[in-house]
Amino acid sequence: MNEVHMDRISWVEYQGRVREEAAPVFLPVGATEQHGPHLPLGTDALLATAVAGGAAGSVAGLVAPALAYGFKSQPKCGGGQHFVGTTSLDAATLIGTVRDTVREFARHGVKKLVLVNGHYENQWFLIEGIDLAMREVQASGIEIMRLEYWDFFTPATLARVFPDGFPGYALEHAAVIETSMMLHYHPDLVRLDQLPDDPPADFPPYDFYPTRTQLVPPSGVLSSARGATREKGEVMASELTRLIAAAVRDAFD
Amino acid sequence: MNEVHMDRISWVEYQGRVREEAAPVFLPVGATEQHGPHLPLGTDALLATAVAGGAAGSVAGLVAPALAYGFKSQPKCGGGQHFVGTTSLDAATLIGTVRDTVREFARHGVKKLVLVNGHYENQWFLIEGIDLAMREVQASGIEIMRLEYWDFFTPATLARVFPDGFPGYALEHAAVIETSMMLHYHPDLVRLDQLPDDPPADFPPYDFYPTRTQLVPPSGVLSSARGATREKGEVMASELTRLIAAAVRDAFD
Amino acid sequence: MNEVHMDRISWVEYQGRVREEAAPVFLPVGATEQHGPHLPLGTDALLATAVAGGAAGSVAGLVAPALAYGFKSQPKCGGGQHFVGTTSLDAATLIGTVRDTVREFARHGVKKLVLVNGHYENQWFLIEGIDLAMREVQASGIEIMRLEYWDFFTPATLARVFPDGFPGYALEHAAVIETSMMLHYHPDLVRLDQLPDDPPADFPPYDFYPTRTQLVPPSGVLSSARGATREKGEVMASELTRLIAAAVRDAFD
Amino acid sequence: MNEVHMDRISWVEYQGRVREEAAPVFLPVGATEQHGPHLPLGTDALLATAVAGGAAGSVAGLVAPALAYGFKSQPKCGGGQHFVGTTSLDAATLIGTVRDTVREFARHGVKKLVLVNGHYENQWFLIEGIDLAMREVQASGIEIMRLEYWDFFTPATLARVFPDGFPGYALEHAAVIETSMMLHYHPDLVRLDQLPDDPPADFPPYDFYPTRTQLVPPSGVLSSARGATREKGEVMASELTRLIAAAVRDAFD
Amino acid sequence: MNEVHMDRISWVEYQGRVREEAAPVFLPVGATEQHGPHLPLGTDALLATAVAGGAAGSVAGLVAPALAYGFKSQPKCGGGQHFVGTTSLDAATLIGTVRDTVREFARHGVKKLVLVNGHYENQWFLIEGIDLAMREVQASGIEIMRLEYWDFFTPATLARVFPDGFPGYALEHAAVIETSMMLHYHPDLVRLDQLPDDPPADFPPYDFYPTRTQLVPPSGVLSSARGATREKGEVMASELTRLIAAAVRDAFD
Amino acid sequence: MNEVHMDRISWVEYQGRVREEAAPVFLPVGATEQHGPHLPLGTDALLATAVAGGAAGSVAGLVAPALAYGFKSQPKCGGGQHFVGTTSLDAATLIGTVRDTVREFARHGVKKLVLVNGHYENQWFLIEGIDLAMREVQASGIEIMRLEYWDFFTPATLARVFPDGFPGYALEHAAVIETSMMLHYHPDLVRLDQLPDDPPADFPPYDFYPTRTQLVPPSGVLSSARGATREKGEVMASELTRLIAAAVRDAFD
């Protein structure tokens, strides 16, 4: 069976995969960010890599080394920059990293590139990085899919994961979805005994600077992760693998 | 025993380690770069992470997620940018990444930061990234050690690794040192059956742009890796762990 | 009665308003972007300015000149960059504009600054611009509220505007909300006879580059604006004025 | 009659004007800057827009939304950055804004672009912004005229406006020319009762940093605006409309 | 007698001059730009350095190495960027060079810094470079004078240099002033036998991009240098030395 | 005989040399940096220019004005940034300067460009500047050689200069090589009576930030310059002229 991780194969093998087999290359983009007392700082990069690996395995693709640092955490989606451990990049740095790596994949002859984003705050800087790169490399014929993996969950799956009704992605930071998926992919890194019992965060319809940290639960968890199970994680992971692989197969033709 | 990898612990645990125990934080900096047909593209990041992990384990330190992409490969030290698989950043991007991450570690309260570089071409951009960060965060009291790990090898070790005489670091790309260390740390990723037999590269005392690719061995290996063994790798790894840990203990006081 | 628009008063008057009366300053941020055949290219800047003006009038505030150019239009929220007339900025330019203007308002002695965003694609670059400025000017005591005006609509209002159920903001580009609000604020600029009858756009759960323009309705309208009325616009405008003014009064104390 | 302002027409109409009628597009560039106690902060943008509008009306052209923020005010031409209300951009930001908007107009198919500058300090950053854009878009066939509007006044007009002799543009900030033109275009925004009686500024043949603010009249007016009249404004406005329109007609063929 | 050129003394001597004697430091800023067939490409840097040297000699100052490359030549003041030999910098590069060198002089303890500009196109980028540096180093107590040397000529001198009346600085590129001064400072570099006889350039009141090169005399000389003499050069040089030295003495107290 | 210095000839002559005679152009890159009490601050630029001049004289080449300011001095190779007099640029500024000047030489029609580096810390920023320029101008056909001049010394010469054995370039800052070469090229600028007697610096195998200045000899000289003679300087200069000229002749064909 084929190795999926680009950093574990030689350039000669990589060249064969990309040029002769037209392998799609997946670039996971994560963050180093607080995820409450029960999930590790690397959650976003670990999940993006795992999701990318699942899909890549289904389409004979390759997974490039993840971007392990992401854009600055915001109170409403990641708790905010006042947490110790959250380690973030300025916009220009993340944009430049995406632009440079896309430029290189285009030089390699990659035609199908998939950015798998696992950190909500990254999205718009990935868009800009891709746009700047495409100004330079569009003639290479590279095509790029960019996705936030949670956008692939079907209503049926959300109904299963949230039997009392899906409250929306707004506060799903270090909560049921991420905890369940970590229980599936990296159970040794989850500390269910540390699940906090903060009430869900309640934010006004605006943002305020400097951050009003009193609005953010001290644990960093925006809504309860109670209800997270390994089985739910498996259901979601399996769906993501299947649907992202299908999207890759369909979209690049 | 303590977990060494920052991305595998929660922010709460990280905070305790950094603020109460004054744990040194190691930031490995690598590259995604051809290393001949026998070593994987991730060699530099894998080795920098492994070396950092060894030292961190000895000093109750933590290893942050590696910077997996580095500065552009040059013919004389990494083969050059014409290889497929080599995936590199512009100077401004790498400088910005180092500046941003140093700024964040300073905010966390890290006082002892160690950048472990595993890719020759990165050195001067790490210097600039640190310098730009220190303009902003010097008052935090953070202190930073930056090292290229190979500068810690003693003459005795080099004599043991190169019984016929150490030819110098100049052409040591994907050659005896890196191959031996990979055989020690990641034996499953080394393909000794793929060792090329190109003669060593012979470069003039200048560089030329556009790159004259005919000067670079087609395999990407600048001098022979014959003579690499797992035992040599173990000797080197053990020495690095010991000497870097000692340097960290001594320097930050 | 007080003039609300900063560009229509002298610096002497402005100084009095800001320093003696502690007037909040509102900075509208818009775009120059296609809004279908029935709305003008300036819709986002016009609406952001009108909303800011309403709230400023209620709290004795001032409205600074709008940022009339915004971040690049994306297919799913603004139709995309392939439309003629859409005139957009790179991320770095928009970020810099926000950073510079915030820095200046801080120098003026403004303590209450409100960024009123009217173009979905701008949000994350406003966040970064504010963050970069705050690194420089936090000691000035300036505080900043950033809002997307549509986040203030109450469920009751949405129920009134969408009697058949609110389909979500996703496709609300040049549709019922914006058309109704323009009918209220700038009826002379709306061409109801030009309302297109494209079916609503149907996007996959990923983005693709280069843009697949066939997914975007040729008119640039992502869902029907049928149902837009001046009365609905008035209801929404009135609610925004009331709620944003209240938020400003409450938040800055 | 044709609408002149781009932000008031739809993209469909704009496309027709630009692609089928080859309409020249005028981009006014102003500032938000103190103009004494008698003129509003928006004077430069208002005048640049008005002048552009006059010429555009004569040549079936369009006026894009003005750049309302300009480069930092200097003591000898705008009073300096110590005035409250003056709201300026760094050079890189203004350069980027011009580069980006020019790039977009070129994409639209605009062949005749006219930058109408109303703020002395902007000039060299407009030059650089255009130069950077032309590196990217020269192949589009776009041609660009850049002008400071005051360079179009004829000696006869200056003699009429300054019956005692034209003292030169050096100190013409918030003085006779701008006040007269504002009396013509925006009489409701001029407060003739607030005309200051500071003596004209007297500057040495060098600049000094930090600014020696004692050299700048406290009102911000560099020479007297006494003698400004609406009639003079009308004469100047009419001349500008005629001569700029003629230049546009002649130059782009 | 004291050496005037910073690059010819050791750091120890420089430190004594700057810290103990409070020597003013002069930074000449020039260009590498066509100056017709009779003057060398280095004219602007040579003249700025010579003028700085004259003044520095009078006030026990030091002259730093000149910035030998300047901003892009414009048709109306330097002929334009289509000339071979003209070697120019982007705005950001020149701004950065000024910011960085000012930052360093401030670190040295320089309190009196004089930028002597010899290339018209540089002016606004020097202003920005100084402004950016002052944000960082204002607390150091450094004060900066920036001057274009030609602004120090008195009416009496201009009357002597131009007996038929001074036509204005507009077309004084490679013409009477620069040629006379080069005849004084660097007579061996002037080729009077190569003086072109192009008629003076005649420019419209706007600029056009791409440059309309037919408006620029093919020699690159914008008005005749006939009338240039070594004696005039000596008069001007002597006046500049005296007046700039006096300004330095007066202004920094 | 041909003038070698570009700034001393007119654009017309330069054009002839470059376009008709295909003259190689040499760009010296130096620094303004402490070189102990016996050598001047301009040593690196003076030597790079002298070496370039020697080679250019042998191949009918031209020497462009030197870049007189270089990258920040590091303790192990130049003493560090804590010395007064050392005047350095940020990485981005030096990179930009190289990119811009290379772009201009390509526009001139230069086909053979040689960057002669005289300051160790510059190397990697020259590499990046060239790389960025080549993205833009590779189609022009320009080819670039980049060299650090000391890499051309033969073992025989080093044996002659260091009769007791060459200790390596590591500490050769302001030591035997540079002092000897300055005695040859600029004897009037060397103060042999000021030779310090600090013992050689002894650095650990890592760098530390903030700089531990106690590791750097207070004089700024990293190893003794005793043993420097004019004759050694002449031998080295003569060898460099011969070998660099030969390399230029050979490489560009």
Side-chain angles (χ1 to χ4, degrees):
Chain A
M1 197 204 110
N2 274 336
E3 170 62 54
V4 151
H5 289 283
M6 172 188 179
D7 63 338
R8 296 171 63 88
I9 61 175
S10 77
W11 77 270
V12 178
E13 188 175 349
Y14 173 83
Q15 180 175 254
R17 297 281 292 279
V18 162
R19 297 230 169 145
E20 281 150 47
E21 303 173 24
V25 173
F26 293 74
L27 176 63
V29 194
T32 298
E33 186 192 28
Q34 73 82 12
H35 274 73
H38 63 298
L39 291 180
L41 288 162
T43 296
D44 286 351
L46 290 165
L47 288 182
T49 301
V51 168
S58 296
V59 297
L62 286 165
V63 179
L67 304 186
Y69 299 93
F71 186 67
K72 295 165 213 173
S73 181
Q74 298 301 306
K76 287 183 183 173
C77 35
Q81 281 292 116
H82 55 290
F83 283 94
V84 170
T86 297
T87 310
S88 309
L89 303 177
D90 281 2
T93 307
L94 181 56
I95 291 168
T97 304
V98 172
R99 179 202 58 206
D100 293 356
T101 46
V102 170
R103 182 197 294 124
E104 288 286 68
F105 290 122
R107 177 176 64 75
H108 299 167
V110 173
K111 299 299 177 215
K112 308 171 184 168
L113 181 65
V114 185
L115 269 72
V116 178
N117 182 23
H119 175 61
Y120 188 84
E121 287 89 335
N122 286 341
Q123 177 175 348
W124 286 88
F125 309 103
L126 305 189
I127 290 172
E128 175 70 349
I130 293 169
D131 188 74
L132 297 186
M134 288 308 259
R135 282 191 195 153
E136 298 180 45
V137 303
Q138 194 158 342
S140 74
I142 195 172
E143 291 187 304
I144 303 176
M145 175 184 288
R146 199 210 78 252
L147 61 91
E148 280 71 47
Y149 68 75
W150 48 83
D151 286 335
F152 280 75
F153 292 131
T154 58
T157 293
L158 289 174
R160 192 157 158 195
V161 174
F162 297 95
D164 301 332
F166 177 45
Y169 288 112
L171 302 180
E172 268 300 311
H173 182 75
V176 172
I177 291 176
E178 290 187 319
T179 304
S180 297
M181 288 180 67
M182 284 297 286
L183 283 168
H184 169 67
Y185 285 122
H186 295 283
D188 53 318
L189 301 183
V190 186
R191 299 280 302 274
L192 284 181
D193 58 313
Q194 299 286 327
L195 273 193
D197 280 309
D198 294 324
D202 181 24
F203 293 109
Y206 53 81
D207 289 320
F208 212 80
Y209 311 84
T211 295
R212 302 212 154 159
T213 55
Q214 65 270 29
L215 292 175
V216 181
S219 69
V221 180
L222 300 185
S223 66
S224 181
R226 305 251 171 237
T229 68
R230 189 166 185 170
E231 290 66 32
K232 291 181 180 178
E234 188 173 7
V235 166
M236 288 188 279
S238 154
E239 173 159 271
L240 290 179
T241 293
R242 194 177 68 252
L243 294 183
I244 295 177
V248 168
R249 264 190 229 100
D250 291 353
F252 286 99
D253 291 318
Chain B
M1 199 203 108
N2 275 335
E3 169 63 53
V4 151
H5 289 283
M6 173 188 178
D7 63 338
R8 297 170 64 88
I9 61 176
S10 76
W11 77 270
V12 178
E13 188 176 350
Y14 173 82
Q15 180 175 254
R17 297 281 293 277
V18 162
R19 296 231 170 144
E20 281 150 47
E21 304 174 23
V25 173
F26 293 73
L27 176 63
V29 193
T32 298
E33 186 192 29
Q34 73 83 12
H35 275 73
H38 63 296
L39 291 179
L41 287 162
T43 295
D44 286 350
L46 290 165
L47 288 182
T49 300
V51 168
S58 296
V59 296
L62 287 164
V63 179
L67 305 186
Y69 298 93
F71 186 68
K72 296 164 211 173
S73 181
Q74 298 300 306
K76 287 183 183 173
C77 34
Q81 282 291 118
H82 54 290
F83 283 93
V84 170
T86 297
T87 310
S88 309
L89 303 177
D90 281 2
T93 308
L94 180 56
I95 291 168
T97 304
V98 171
R99 180 201 58 207
D100 292 357
T101 47
V102 170
R103 183 198 293 125
E104 288 287 68
F105 291 122
R107 177 176 64 76
H108 299 166
V110 173
K111 298 300 177 215
K112 307 170 185 169
L113 181 64
V114 185
L115 269 73
V116 178
N117 183 22
H119 176 61
Y120 188 84
E121 286 89 337
N122 286 341
Q123 178 175 348
W124 286 88
F125 310 104
L126 306 190
I127 290 173
E128 175 69 349
I130 293 170
D131 188 73
L132 297 185
M134 288 307 259
R135 281 191 196 154
E136 298 180 44
V137 302
Q138 194 158 341
S140 75
I142 195 173
E143 292 187 302
I144 304 174
M145 175 184 286
R146 199 209 78 253
L147 61 91
E148 280 72 45
Y149 68 75
W150 47 83
D151 287 334
F152 280 76
F153 292 131
T154 58
T157 294
L158 289 174
R160 193 158 157 194
V161 174
F162 298 94
D164 301 331
F166 177 46
Y169 288 112
L171 302 180
E172 268 300 312
H173 182 74
V176 172
I177 291 176
E178 291 187 317
T179 305
S180 297
M181 288 180 67
M182 285 296 286
L183 283 168
H184 170 65
Y185 285 122
H186 294 285
D188 53 318
L189 302 182
V190 185
R191 299 280 301 274
L192 285 180
D193 60 313
Q194 298 287 327
L195 272 194
D197 281 308
D198 294 324
D202 181 23
F203 292 109
Y206 54 81
D207 289 320
F208 213 80
Y209 312 84
T211 294
R212 302 210 154 161
T213 56
Q214 65 270 31
L215 292 175
V216 181
S219 68
V221 181
L222 300 185
S223 66
S224 180
R226 305 252 171 237
T229 69
R230 190 165 184 170
E231 290 67 33
K232 290 180 180 178
E234 188 174 7
V235 166
M236 288 187 281
S238 154
E239 173 158 271
L240 291 179
T241 292
R242 195 177 67 251
L243 294 183
I244 295 176
V248 168
R249 267 191 227 99
D250 293 353
F252 285 100
D253 293 318
Chain C
M1 197 204 109
N2 275 335
E3 170 62 52
V4 150
H5 289 284
M6 173 188 178
D7 65 338
R8 297 171 62 88
I9 62 174
S10 76
W11 76 270
V12 178
E13 189 175 349
Y14 174 82
Q15 180 174 256
R17 297 280 293 278
V18 162
R19 296 231 171 144
E20 281 150 47
E21 303 173 25
V25 173
F26 293 73
L27 177 63
V29 194
T32 298
E33 186 192 27
Q34 74 82 13
H35 274 74
H38 62 297
L39 291 180
L41 287 163
T43 295
D44 285 351
L46 290 165
L47 288 182
T49 301
V51 168
S58 296
V59 296
L62 286 164
V63 179
L67 304 187
Y69 299 94
F71 186 68
K72 296 165 211 173
S73 182
Q74 297 302 305
K76 287 184 183 172
C77 35
Q81 282 291 117
H82 55 290
F83 283 94
V84 171
T86 297
T87 311
S88 310
L89 302 179
D90 281 2
T93 307
L94 181 55
I95 290 168
T97 304
V98 172
R99 180 201 58 206
D100 292 356
T101 48
V102 170
R103 183 197 292 126
E104 288 287 67
F105 290 122
R107 177 177 63 74
H108 299 167
V110 173
K111 299 298 177 217
K112 307 170 184 169
L113 181 64
V114 185
L115 269 72
V116 178
N117 182 22
H119 175 60
Y120 188 84
E121 286 89 335
N122 286 341
Q123 177 175 347
W124 286 88
F125 309 104
L126 305 190
I127 289 172
E128 175 69 348
I130 293 170
D131 188 73
L132 296 186
M134 289 306 259
R135 280 190 198 156
E136 298 181 45
V137 303
Q138 193 158 341
S140 75
I142 195 172
E143 292 188 302
I144 304 175
M145 175 184 286
R146 199 209 80 252
L147 62 91
E148 280 71 47
Y149 68 75
W150 47 83
D151 286 336
F152 281 76
F153 293 131
T154 58
T157 294
L158 290 174
R160 194 158 156 194
V161 174
F162 298 93
D164 301 332
F166 176 46
Y169 288 113
L171 302 180
E172 267 302 311
H173 182 74
V176 173
I177 291 177
E178 290 187 318
T179 304
S180 297
M181 288 180 67
M182 284 296 287
L183 283 168
H184 169 66
Y185 285 122
H186 295 283
D188 53 318
L189 302 183
V190 184
R191 299 281 301 275
L192 285 180
D193 59 313
Q194 299 286 327
L195 273 193
D197 281 310
D198 294 325
D202 181 23
F203 293 109
Y206 54 81
D207 289 320
F208 212 80
Y209 312 84
T211 295
R212 302 212 153 160
T213 55
Q214 65 271 29
L215 292 176
V216 181
S219 68
V221 181
L222 301 184
S223 66
S224 180
R226 305 252 171 237
T229 69
R230 190 166 184 168
E231 291 66 32
K232 290 180 179 176
E234 189 175 4
V235 166
M236 288 188 280
S238 155
E239 173 158 89
L240 291 179
T241 293
R242 195 177 68 253
L243 294 183
I244 295 177
V248 168
R249 265 191 228 100
D250 293 352
F252 286 100
D253 293 319
Chain D
M1 198 203 108
N2 274 335
E3 170 61 53
V4 151
H5 289 283
M6 172 188 178
D7 63 338
R8 297 171 63 88
I9 61 176
S10 76
W11 77 270
V12 178
E13 188 175 351
Y14 173 83
Q15 180 175 255
R17 297 281 292 280
V18 161
R19 296 231 169 144
E20 281 150 46
E21 303 173 25
V25 173
F26 293 73
L27 176 64
V29 194
T32 298
E33 187 192 30
Q34 73 82 12
H35 274 74
H38 63 296
L39 291 180
L41 286 162
T43 295
D44 286 351
L46 289 165
L47 288 182
T49 301
V51 168
S58 296
V59 296
L62 286 165
V63 180
L67 305 186
Y69 299 93
F71 185 68
K72 296 165 212 172
S73 182
Q74 297 301 304
K76 288 184 181 172
C77 35
Q81 281 290 118
H82 54 290
F83 283 94
V84 170
T86 297
T87 311
S88 310
L89 303 178
D90 281 1
T93 308
L94 181 55
I95 291 168
T97 305
V98 172
R99 180 201 58 206
D100 292 357
T101 47
V102 170
R103 183 197 293 124
E104 288 286 67
F105 290 123
R107 176 175 65 75
H108 299 167
V110 173
K111 299 297 179 218
K112 307 171 185 169
L113 181 65
V114 186
L115 269 72
V116 178
N117 183 22
H119 175 60
Y120 188 85
E121 286 89 335
N122 286 341
Q123 178 175 347
W124 286 88
F125 309 104
L126 306 189
I127 290 172
E128 176 69 349
I130 293 169
D131 188 74
L132 296 186
M134 289 306 259
R135 281 191 196 154
E136 298 181 44
V137 303
Q138 194 157 340
S140 74
I142 194 173
E143 291 188 303
I144 304 175
M145 176 184 286
R146 199 208 79 251
L147 61 90
E148 279 71 45
Y149 68 75
W150 47 83
D151 286 334
F152 280 76
F153 293 130
T154 58
T157 292
L158 289 174
R160 193 157 157 194
V161 174
F162 297 94
D164 301 331
F166 176 45
Y169 288 112
L171 302 180
E172 268 300 312
H173 182 75
V176 172
I177 292 177
E178 290 188 318
T179 305
S180 297
M181 289 180 66
M182 284 297 286
L183 283 168
H184 169 66
Y185 285 122
H186 294 284
D188 53 319
L189 301 182
V190 185
R191 298 280 301 274
L192 284 181
D193 60 313
Q194 299 286 328
L195 272 193
D197 281 310
D198 295 324
D202 182 23
F203 293 109
Y206 54 82
D207 289 320
F208 212 82
Y209 312 83
T211 295
R212 301 209 156 163
T213 55
Q214 66 270 30
L215 292 175
V216 181
S219 68
V221 181
L222 300 184
S223 67
S224 180
R226 305 252 171 237
T229 68
R230 189 166 185 169
E231 291 68 33
K232 290 180 179 178
E234 188 174 7
V235 166
M236 288 187 281
S238 155
E239 174 158 89
L240 290 179
T241 293
R242 196 177 67 252
L243 294 183
I244 295 177
V248 168
R249 266 190 228 100
D250 292 353
F252 285 100
D253 293 319
Chain E
M1 198 202 109
N2 274 337
E3 170 62 53
V4 150
H5 289 284
M6 173 189 178
D7 63 338
R8 297 171 62 88
I9 62 175
S10 76
W11 76 271
V12 179
E13 189 175 349
Y14 174 82
Q15 179 174 255
R17 296 281 292 279
V18 162
R19 297 232 169 144
E20 282 149 47
E21 303 174 23
V25 173
F26 293 74
L27 177 63
V29 194
T32 297
E33 187 192 29
Q34 73 82 12
H35 274 73
H38 63 297
L39 290 180
L41 287 163
T43 295
D44 286 351
L46 290 165
L47 287 182
T49 301
V51 168
S58 296
V59 297
L62 285 165
V63 180
L67 305 187
Y69 298 93
F71 185 68
K72 295 164 212 173
S73 182
Q74 297 300 304
K76 286 183 183 174
C77 35
Q81 282 291 117
H82 54 291
F83 283 94
V84 170
T86 298
T87 311
S88 308
L89 304 178
D90 281 2
T93 307
L94 182 55
I95 290 168
T97 304
V98 171
R99 180 202 58 206
D100 291 357
T101 48
V102 170
R103 183 197 292 127
E104 287 287 68
F105 291 123
R107 176 175 63 74
H108 299 166
V110 173
K111 298 299 177 215
K112 307 170 185 169
L113 181 64
V114 186
L115 269 72
V116 178
N117 182 22
H119 176 62
Y120 187 85
E121 286 90 336
N122 286 340
Q123 178 175 346
W124 286 88
F125 309 104
L126 306 190
I127 289 172
E128 175 70 349
I130 293 169
D131 188 73
L132 296 185
M134 289 307 260
R135 280 191 196 154
E136 299 181 44
V137 302
Q138 194 158 340
S140 75
I142 195 172
E143 292 187 302
I144 304 175
M145 174 184 287
R146 199 210 77 251
L147 62 92
E148 280 72 45
Y149 69 75
W150 47 82
D151 286 335
F152 279 76
F153 293 131
T154 58
T157 293
L158 289 174
R160 193 157 157 194
V161 173
F162 298 93
D164 301 332
F166 177 47
Y169 288 112
L171 302 179
E172 268 300 312
H173 182 74
V176 172
I177 291 176
E178 289 187 319
T179 305
S180 296
M181 287 180 68
M182 284 296 285
L183 283 167
H184 170 66
Y185 284 122
H186 294 284
D188 53 318
L189 301 183
V190 185
R191 298 281 301 273
L192 285 181
D193 59 313
Q194 299 287 327
L195 273 193
D197 281 308
D198 295 324
D202 182 24
F203 292 108
Y206 54 80
D207 289 320
F208 212 81
Y209 311 84
T211 295
R212 302 210 155 163
T213 55
Q214 64 271 30
L215 292 175
V216 182
S219 69
V221 180
L222 300 184
S223 68
S224 180
R226 305 253 171 235
T229 68
R230 188 166 185 170
E231 289 67 32
K232 290 181 180 177
E234 189 175 6
V235 165
M236 288 189 280
S238 154
E239 174 159 88
L240 290 179
T241 293
R242 197 177 66 253
L243 294 183
I244 295 176
V248 168
R249 266 190 227 100
D250 292 353
F252 285 101
D253 292 318
Chain F
M1 198 204 111
N2 275 335
E3 170 62 53
V4 151
H5 288 284
M6 173 189 179
D7 64 338
R8 297 171 63 87
I9 61 175
S10 76
W11 77 271
V12 179
E13 189 175 349
Y14 173 83
Q15 180 174 254
R17 297 280 293 279
V18 162
R19 297 233 169 142
E20 281 149 47
E21 304 173 23
V25 173
F26 293 74
L27 176 64
V29 193
T32 298
E33 186 192 30
Q34 74 82 13
H35 274 73
H38 63 296
L39 291 180
L41 287 162
T43 295
D44 285 351
L46 289 165
L47 288 182
T49 301
V51 168
S58 296
V59 296
L62 286 165
V63 180
L67 305 186
Y69 299 94
F71 185 68
K72 295 165 213 173
S73 181
Q74 297 301 306
K76 287 183 182 173
C77 35
Q81 281 291 116
H82 55 290
F83 284 94
V84 171
T86 297
T87 311
S88 309
L89 303 178
D90 281 2
T93 308
L94 181 55
I95 291 168
T97 305
V98 171
R99 180 202 57 207
D100 292 357
T101 47
V102 170
R103 182 197 293 124
E104 287 286 68
F105 290 122
R107 177 177 62 75
H108 299 167
V110 172
K111 298 298 177 217
K112 306 170 186 169
L113 181 65
V114 185
L115 269 72
V116 178
N117 182 22
H119 176 62
Y120 188 84
E121 286 89 337
N122 286 341
Q123 178 175 347
W124 286 88
F125 310 103
L126 306 190
I127 290 172
E128 175 70 348
I130 293 169
D131 188 73
L132 297 185
M134 289 307 260
R135 281 190 196 155
E136 298 180 45
V137 303
Q138 194 158 340
S140 74
I142 195 172
E143 292 187 303
I144 304 176
M145 174 184 287
R146 199 209 79 250
L147 61 91
E148 280 72 45
Y149 67 76
W150 48 83
D151 286 335
F152 280 75
F153 292 131
T154 58
T157 293
L158 289 175
R160 193 158 156 192
V161 173
F162 297 93
D164 301 332
F166 177 46
Y169 288 113
L171 302 180
E172 269 299 312
H173 182 74
V176 172
I177 291 176
E178 291 187 319
T179 305
S180 296
M181 288 180 67
M182 284 296 286
L183 283 168
H184 169 66
Y185 284 123
H186 294 285
D188 53 318
L189 301 183
V190 185
R191 298 281 302 274
L192 284 182
D193 59 312
Q194 299 287 326
L195 274 193
D197 281 309
D198 294 324
D202 181 24
F203 294 108
Y206 54 81
D207 289 320
F208 212 81
Y209 312 85
T211 295
R212 302 211 154 161
T213 55
Q214 64 270 30
L215 291 176
V216 181
S219 68
V221 180
L222 300 185
S223 66
S224 180
R226 305 254 171 236
T229 68
R230 190 166 184 170
E231 290 68 33
K232 290 179 180 178
E234 189 175 5
V235 166
M236 289 188 281
S238 155
E239 174 158 89
L240 291 178
T241 294
R242 195 176 68 253
L243 294 183
I244 296 176
V248 168
R249 266 191 227 100
D250 292 353
F252 286 100
D253 292 318

